[in-house]
Amino acid sequence: MSRKHLATIKDPDKEVPKIAREMCAEMLKELERANRPVLEAIKCSLDNSFYDHKVGYLTPGEKTVKTELNVSSVLKMSRSVFFLEILLRNLDSGAVNTKRELYYIAKGECKQNKKLKPLDFNDQVESDSIIDFICELMEIYREEINCFANDRGGQTYCQNLIVTEHMPDGTKATIDLSSLGTTPFQPKNRPQSFTIKPKKGQIDFCLVVESEGTANTLVTNGFTKRHNAIVMGAQGVPSNGVRAWAKTIQDQLKIPIYFLGDLDAYTMQNIFRTLKAGSAASLIRNKDFSAPEVRFLGVLPDDVKKYDLTNYNVDPRDPVEGRSLKKAQDALANDPFFKDKKNKGVSEILDWLIKEKRRCEQQAFFMVNPKDPQAFEKIILEKIKKKDYV
Amino acid sequence: MSSSKITSSSTAEYFSKNLQQVGFSSGTKAVLTTLKEAIDNSLDACEEAQILPEIHVEIERVGQGTQKNMDQIRVLVSDNGPGIGAEDLAKVYGEYLASSKFGRGRCSRGQQGIGISAATTWAQLTAAKGVTVITKTKRMPQALKALIEVDIKKNQGSVIEKKNITWDRPQGTCVEFFFDGRLQLQGEGGILTYLKGTSLVNPHLSLKYKINKEEEISLERVSNDTIDLPDAVSPHPHTMKLGEFIHHIHLFGKVSVQNFFEKGFSRISSDVTNEMTKHGFKKAWLNRSLTDLSKDEQHKLYQALQSVELMAPSTKSVLRIGEEALSKSVDRLGEVDFFSVVSRKPQICDAKPVVVEVAVARLKNRPSAEEEQSAQVLRFANRVPLQFDKAACAIVKAIESVNWKAYGLAQPKNSIPLGPYVIAVSVVSPFIKFKNASKETIDASDELVEELRLAIMQAGQKLSRHIKKELRAADYEKKIQHIEQFGPILIEGLGRITSASENQLKKAREGLMKILGRDSEVALEDLKKAEEAHQKMTGKGGASSLSEAGSEEEASSGQETEKSSDKKSSKKNKKDKNDDEQTTLALEGDA
Ligand SMILES: Nc1ncnc2c1ncn2[C@@H]1O[C@H](COP(=O)(O)OP(=O)(O)O)[C@@H](O)[C@H]1O
Ligand SMILES: [Mg+2]
């Protein structure tokens, strides 16, 4: 059943409630025929990930995961249908919730309706996994079912940016980022639905800094006053909000985006790759949650040499560091993103990290000219000017 | 009781005053010890004569005892053994230290010739009457019936009444005692526990017993093999204490030391005597007569022997019950759910050959309240049940040191595990070291405890396969209940979302029932398969083949944890084709 179902879901203006009802009708029909309903979802794993640099992000292959009604899946299926009801109700009314809130809403339902009692959730992990399962089945992301996480990161500073948000109630909110000081604008919920434009003329570039603290330092020291640029803090592994925001900046402003972070395998694979091309776990939503134009500005292996930056040894015997080295080797061998010729620059950095077993932090640039508070800023500008990025 | 009399006192006099040391310290113990000594003798005699033993036991309370809080008890034990010649009767039942087995390095039950004479003494002291014996050897034309008493002063037996009678069998011995005692049937010192244990470790024994006015119980033999008693070994010098050594010297008397070494021991070669000279032994002694050695020289001899390295004694002298026979015998413990047996190869522990055998069984139909009770421990030394002073016993120490939780049993810390289990551990050795004269506690040397522990752990591992299988069966049942519970909820949810008609829902419910039926069939079939595989596995005997079987099973029932919201059925069997392993991947992919 699901194959033909998938076709419907891929419909560009998909209507979540409609898909959900069709899916349930199909399950019921199978049961009437004494057949086991089968739910089919795209397999979200590296071995089903494909990368084409012309597309720019990881896309799913043909592999699917089938869940058939049986002893071990019956609870999961019952819970999924039960949760769909809650989510559909939210979509109907326009209400939104976090995963945590949904966990309690589900518990409340189970408490009020004795018949549902056996479905009750013991912890949020259980309810989260059902929400994720529904998203996979319907090939939607949770924002499409009005489920929003408290997204981390994305703190944005700019003297030349106007953001317009379309509110659920039909009203509009407009934010002029130049009216803010050192307190950032932070996009929430669905940044794809924001309309953004420069206050005047064009913005030159966007700089995404791995450390939100360092992003704030740059701004407080006057970066956005001196340069017609957007500065954004990623705050570690980019959340859905950060990813969607970067994508929105890329698509609507069409300006170069540079990423600045630590020189280590974790940053390359988990932070930069996710920002630029998405992840295997989020195959179905990479399209809307990645910014393929993002460039890696640093720290580059050459910077370490050129600026004589303090760097550290990576000990393969250390359990954490050893594992990340192993993962990097794995990525070079199996990750279609790093294997693509177009991303040779990035995979060369990964290769360098494995061979040299060194790592260097973004803040190391502060040692270059310690007396000059603008030294870091100058290095960044110089690197951009010289196209010293990959 | 003047001191002059004591100096000339006989062994019999000594024992008659110290009966508590040899198992007559209480009324219940008196019954048990009398029964035990008689049955031990019957079994030993049958074994020696290569006869499959048939033993008949009668125990009853016949009236008031002569002492306070005592009953008069009658114990009768008859056997189909070789019988006792008329000339030996007085010796056997009325004389201490008259044994055909003494110091022979065999795994026989009786060792010192104390037991049965002590029982006679007790009967005499408390009921003023010795033991009534009927016995017949093949050669005797008629059976002989006699009352035998102990002449305590002389350490001699005296035959009081003696007459020829016709008996119902070609050969055998029957003893009957009346004495003060108390009947305790169940529990650790209980008679039934003793009889149960004895039948467990003597698969070739047919036992009939009648207690009080109860109906006679008959336990048929489960093995038709007579016991091949291994040849006796000469004692190994390192297994002897100084006292025993000196006793040994007295037994040999007027022979040369050289001769004593050759005939009296195993493992003393000329290399050994050369080595002994470094430890105070004089070569010249070899040609001297044993009786000429002074006390001091005897000590030196002993010390020199203990100081040299000797080859370990041969393990050939040790008898094994064997896994097959033990397995059959386990069923006589009562209604057994499942069990495991382990028969270890003979080992050397503390320079003595020893065989450890273990049977662990779970009993059926025990009330659930008993789940919390400790497992019953049956201890055996040379196939004799040990029923007292268990705490310090090597066997108990070993059981407590095993982590039974790993095998699926509940166990308070460092204790005997809980539940309706019987843990039977048998130690067989020509030289068992006991902690005391009543021979109820095996000395817990590190080496022996370790050997016991190994055997018990093996048995536990085997048992755990049964327990796991059982859990698997419970798992299937749970799975079926699972779908019965959640199926209807699923249908109702679907109905609400799709606004389906009641007719549709009814049909869907019927469809679900059909699916359910198919599922239970599959589950049942899987369970059957697992049971068959299990039977195949347990059908194989022998410790080595069992470890193979273990890995085989491991492979077929590998359990994996499913990372899904469905925690209750997170353990699953790879064989279960219905399980959707792929779901697991999907969820992990989004981790
Ligand atoms: N039921 C019996 N049938 C044949 N022989 C017996 C029987 N009971 C005792 N005997 C003989 O009498 C001997 C002495 O027995 P006992 O005093 O119990 O000493 P032990 O059993 O330690 O040898 C035994 O060694 C055995 O030869
Ligand atoms: Mg005896």
Side-chain angles (χ1 to χ4, degrees), chain A residues 20-21 24-25 27-28 31-37 43-45 64-79 81-82 84-85 88 113 115-116 118-119 123 126 129-130 132-133 136 280-282 285, chain B residues 478-480 482-483 485-487 489-498 500 503-505 507-512 514-515 518-519 562 564-569 572 578-580 582-591:
Chain A
R21 288 195 177 100
C24 291
M27 287 172 79
L28 198 62
L31 279 169
E32 284 174 58
R33 293 189 204 113
N35 290 337
R36 291 173 201 276
K43 188 178 181 197
C44 290
S45 62
T64 58
V65 179
K66 288 186 183 134
T67 306
E68 193 186 51
L69 176 70
N70 61 39
V71 188
S72 43
S73 67
V74 65
L75 174 61
K76 186 167 157 190
M77 275 199 189
S78 317
R79 277 177 165 174
V81 169
F82 161 68
L84 254 183
E85 245 187 300
L88 289 176
N113 186 343
K115 276 192 191 162
L116 296 174
L119 297 182
D123 55 40
E126 287 181 9
S129 79
I130 294 296
D132 294 343
F133 182 59
E136 274 160 26
S282 60
R285 52 176 207 268
Chain B
K478 222 163 62 194
K479 280 183 174 175
I480 296 304
H482 202 65
I483 205 162
Q485 181 176 33
F486 292 109
I489 300 178
L490 173 67
I491 289 172
E492 266 179 43
L494 289 172
R496 280 194 302 272
I497 292 181
T498 59
N503 188 39
Q504 275 176 296
L505 293 184
K507 265 170 127 186
R509 275 185 213 110
E510 284 161 9
L512 180 79
K514 281 187 200 156
I515 297 170
R518 291 201 289 270
D519 271 0
E562 184 186 21
S564 87
S565 54
D566 183 355
K567 274 194 183 143
K568 277 171 212 140
S569 61
K572 56 179 190 171
N578 287 325
D579 280 346
D580 56 325
Q582 289 168 321
T583 311
T584 318
L585 294 172
L587 288 168
E588 277 168 0
D590 204 33

Side-chain angles (χ1 to χ4, degrees), chain B residues 201-234:
Chain B
V201 291
N202 294 284
H204 62 312
L205 162 67
S206 277
L207 176 69
K208 288 196 170 88
Y209 61 87
K210 184 171 164 58
I211 294 170
N212 287 329
K213 300 282 172 274
E214 302 285 316
E215 220 173 290
E216 183 181 81
I217 308 266
S218 173
L219 294 176
E220 290 300 315
R221 70 173 54 88
V222 290
S223 161
N224 286 317
D225 301 330
T226 51
I227 299 286
D228 266 329
L229 264 186
D231 286 337
V233 285
S234 306

Side-chain angles (χ1 to χ4, degrees), chain A residues 196-376:
Chain A
I196 56 172
K197 57 172 201 291
K199 211 168 162 183
K200 54 176 193 282
Q202 268 286 331
I203 296 170
D204 293 340
F205 63 89
C206 170
L207 177 71
V208 182
V209 186
E210 179 181 337
S211 157
E212 141 65 9
T214 300
N216 189 277
T217 300
L218 287 171
V219 172
T220 310
N221 289 348
F223 192 102
T224 46
K225 288 221 173 104
R226 282 184 286 273
H227 309 286
N228 181 13
I230 300 170
V231 173
M232 187 207 302
Q235 212 175 329
V237 177
S239 62
N240 281 357
V242 172
R243 289 164 66 181
W245 183 227
K247 156 94 176 161
T248 306
I249 291 172
Q250 174 198 284
D251 285 5
Q252 294 189 26
L253 300 179
K254 299 193 167 54
I255 54 170
I257 306 177
Y258 306 104
F259 175 83
L260 195 110
D262 292 343
L263 175 61
D264 63 30
Y266 185 79
T267 298
M268 294 308 296
Q269 287 174 265
N270 293 34
I271 302 179
F272 178 65
R273 206 279 305 271
T274 303
L275 197 64
K276 187 175 168 75
S279 71
S282 60
L283 280 179
I284 46 173
R285 52 176 207 268
N286 286 341
K287 181 171 177 286
D288 292 320
F289 289 87
S290 58
E293 306 295 332
V294 181
R295 302 303 197 96
F296 192 77
L297 185 67
V299 180
L300 298 174
D302 282 347
D303 296 332
V304 178
K305 232 188 283 162
K306 187 173 158 196
Y307 298 102
D308 191 19
L309 303 176
T310 289
N311 56 89
Y312 298 95
N313 189 32
V314 174
D315 183 0
R317 284 162 308 180
D318 178 275
V320 177
E321 295 187 334
R323 205 178 316 127
S324 91
L325 275 179
K326 172 109 213 327
K327 270 185 81 179
Q329 270 158 349
D330 234 50
L332 281 183
N334 303 317
D335 190 322
F337 172 81
F338 288 102
K339 276 162 70 180
D340 193 280
K341 270 190 237 116
K342 200 73 194 247
N343 296 325
K344 213 170 143 215
V346 202
S347 56
E348 273 170 4
I349 296 176
L350 213 52
D351 198 44
W352 181 91
L353 287 166
I354 293 165
K355 287 208 180 90
E356 299 297 319
K357 298 192 177 52
R358 309 295 299 173
R359 62 178 181 83
C360 178
E361 290 174 3
Q362 57 202 296
Q363 293 87 346
F365 283 117
F366 284 88
M367 69 187 292
V368 177
N369 201 344
K371 292 196 180 65
D372 179 4
Q374 285 174 39
F376 189 23

Side-chain angles (χ1 to χ4, degrees), chain B residues 338-576:
Chain B
F338 49 73
F339 65 92
S340 69
V341 295
V342 166
S343 177
R344 297 267 302 164
K345 286 202 197 85
Q347 304 285 326
I348 300 294
C349 289
D350 310 309
K352 296 162 197 171
V354 60
V355 160
V356 173
E357 297 178 290
V358 177
V360 184
R362 198 180 74 177
L363 304 179
K364 259 186 210 158
N365 303 331
R366 287 259 207 129
S368 58
E370 285 209 32
E371 296 271 1
E372 288 312 306
Q373 268 180 27
S374 290
Q376 187 183 11
V377 175
L378 298 179
R379 298 175 288 137
F380 301 92
N382 284 335
R383 292 173 294 149
V384 178
L386 307 180
Q387 291 182 261
F388 298 99
D389 309 326
K390 75 171 189 190
C393 182
I395 289 173
V396 172
K397 292 223 158 127
I399 292 173
E400 289 172 344
S401 76
V402 168
N403 177 16
W404 291 91
K405 283 188 186 147
Y407 312 134
L409 276 74
Q411 181 189 25
K413 218 175 168 201
N414 301 325
S415 309
I416 289 168
L418 304 179
Y421 293 91
V422 175
I423 303 170
V425 182
S426 151
V427 178
V428 174
S429 167
F431 313 101
I432 290 186
K433 195 173 160 201
F434 290 99
K435 279 209 123 153
N436 45 33
S438 65
K439 301 195 284 183
E440 290 292 349
T441 312
I442 301 176
D443 188 64
S445 79
D446 289 350
E447 275 180 41
L448 183 60
V449 170
E450 192 48 37
E451 170 63 14
L452 283 163
R453 198 176 126 80
L454 277 176
I456 294 164
M457 275 162 51
Q458 279 176 5
Q461 272 157 18
K462 283 193 200 173
L463 192 80
S464 75
R465 289 182 206 134
H466 295 263
I467 296 173
K468 278 181 192 150
K469 193 199 79 174
E470 200 180 46
L471 290 176
R472 206 152 55 213
D475 202 39
Y476 282 122
E477 204 149 292
K478 222 163 62 194
K479 280 183 174 175
I480 296 304
Q481 281 175 1
H482 202 65
I483 205 162
E484 274 170 0
Q485 181 176 33
F486 292 109
I489 300 178
L490 173 67
I491 289 172
E492 266 179 43
L494 289 172
R496 280 194 302 272
I497 292 181
T498 59
S499 321
S501 70
E502 185 46 46
N503 188 39
Q504 275 176 296
L505 293 184
K506 198 180 139 230
K507 265 170 127 186
R509 275 185 213 110
E510 284 161 9
L512 180 79
M513 288 316 290
K514 281 187 200 156
I515 297 170
L516 204 66
R518 291 201 289 270
D519 271 0
S520 11
E521 272 165 36
V522 172
L524 264 176
E525 211 152 280
D526 279 351
L527 185 60
K528 234 163 52 196
K529 268 187 221 148
E531 255 161 16
E532 274 163 23
H534 178 79
Q535 254 149 31
K536 236 193 255 164
M537 186 192 83
T538 46
K540 293 178 193 169
S544 57
S545 67
L546 270 146
S547 59
E548 283 162 30
S551 53
E552 191 180 286
E553 209 215 16
E554 227 68 344
S556 67
S557 72
Q559 308 224 302
E560 56 188 50
T561 312
E562 184 186 21
K563 191 202 167 205
S564 87
S565 54
D566 183 355
K567 274 194 183 143
K568 277 171 212 140
S569 61
S570 66
K571 289 212 165 163
K572 56 179 190 171
N573 190 327
K574 272 186 189 161
K575 273 183 179 168
D576 188 347

